Amino acid sequence: KQEVTQIPAALSVPEGENLVLNCSFTDSAIYNLQWFRQDPGKGLTSLLLIQSSQREQTSGRLNASLDKSSGRSTLYIAASQPGDSATYLCAVTAAGNKLTFGGGTRVLVKP
Amino acid sequence: DAEITQSPRHKITETGRQVTLACHQTWNHNNMFWYRQDLGHGLRLIHYSYGVQDTNKGEVSDGYSVSRSNTEDLPLTLESAASSQTSVYFCASSEGSGGLETQYFGPGTRLLVL
């Protein structure tokens, strides 16, 4: 059974500092890995999707890497802003487009 | 704009009652999913559907059922609500089956079972 772990569970940084969020998974037979953002009381918004054949994906200040063989992904957010405060979830996709989620990392960026 | 909506957004019910949560998407996606989100467990898959008349059980399907009579809707029914089903429920949809596409999530329904 696939297990996805995110460490740390919570993170607080001053504005301007780079954020590094970690995700690990136990079964490397994945189609892709996704990073989502969730604001309090809201649904999930997809940030980045990395196919299993890719090593990284970038969008603006966000960069996500994937090392499938070691079962790890890292989300980097450059020059953090208070608006980046949210919970970040990673999820891996198995056959049938079914997602297995990690528990999330709650991020607070202090002005 | 295409979207995915859920109703109601908040619901309070009593133990033993039948409850139905609605999910409607306008993307014409084949795939639809129901998840529940709980502290300490993250999001877990309840049921999913790959098309009309197709339904499948997920990781935590006991006590829940779904039906898919058209492309746009996948209602989730709690047959006899239990306090353990107090949770936030998210519906999602995606196109295709190759694992290449992201899932789009609705805003969630907060359910409290007393």
Side-chain angles (χ1 to χ4, degrees):
Chain A
K1 180 187 170 188
Q2 178 75 270
E3 291 184 5
V4 181
T5 303
Q6 292 185 247
I7 295 173
L11 185 60
S12 179
V13 299
E15 182 178 1
E17 195 164 294
N18 296 332
L19 283 164
V20 181
L21 308 179
N22 298 302
C23 173
S24 62
F25 49 96
T26 56
D27 186 349
S28 62
I30 63 171
Y31 281 75
N32 62 48
L33 183 143
Q34 297 181 65
W35 283 94
F36 291 89
R37 170 182 172 140
Q38 184 176 29
D39 293 292
K42 300 289 178 64
L44 280 69
T45 301
S46 180
L47 297 173
L48 291 168
L49 184 153
I50 312 175
Q51 301 297 346
S52 61
S53 58
Q54 296 178 315
R55 298 282 295 182
E56 67 176 335
Q57 193 69 250
T58 299
S59 176
R61 294 184 295 113
L62 276 60
N63 174 275
S65 65
L66 174 64
D67 185 341
K68 205 172 78 160
S69 61
S70 67
R72 296 177 188 275
S73 176
T74 302
L75 176 67
Y76 300 90
I77 303 177
S80 62
Q81 304 168 357
D84 294 328
S85 298
T87 296
Y88 292 83
L89 297 149
C90 74
V92 296
T93 304
N97 207 14
K98 290 181 286 183
L99 297 178
T100 301
F101 283 87
T105 295
R106 192 170 64 253
V107 171
L108 175 63
V109 180
K110 294 180 283 189
Chain B
D1 285 344
E3 61 177 355
I4 182 165
T5 57
Q6 294 183 235
S7 62
R9 295 294 313 281
H10 302 271
K11 174 79 176 177
I12 301 174
T13 191
E14 295 177 344
T15 301
R17 290 191 181 264
Q18 184 180 79
V19 177
T20 296
L21 309 183
C23 175
H24 179 81
Q25 52 97 2
T26 59
W27 278 295
N28 204 35
H29 284 164
N30 289 322
N31 309 326
M32 295 185 73
F33 307 83
W34 274 104
Y35 298 88
R36 60 178 288 175
Q37 185 175 32
D38 305 286
L39 278 174
H41 290 281
L43 279 97
R44 292 177 291 173
L45 183 63
I46 305 172
H47 280 286
Y48 56 103
S49 168
Y50 293 137
V52 176
Q53 302 300 332
D54 177 75
T55 60
N56 306 279
K57 294 181 179 180
E59 180 187 354
V60 290
S61 60
D62 288 348
Y64 303 94
S65 64
V66 294
S67 62
R68 187 91 179 269
S69 59
N70 59 53
T71 301
E72 295 79 18
D73 299 288
L74 187 70
L76 177 71
T77 297
L78 286 67
E79 304 293 345
S80 177
S83 58
S84 61
Q85 294 177 308
T86 292
S87 185
V88 182
Y89 291 86
F90 288 100
C91 179
S93 72
S94 71
E95 184 60 78
S97 59
L100 302 179
E101 302 82 15
T102 191
Q103 290 187 15
Y104 296 89
F105 282 76
T109 294
R110 278 185 188 276
L111 177 67
L112 175 61
V113 182
L114 298 174

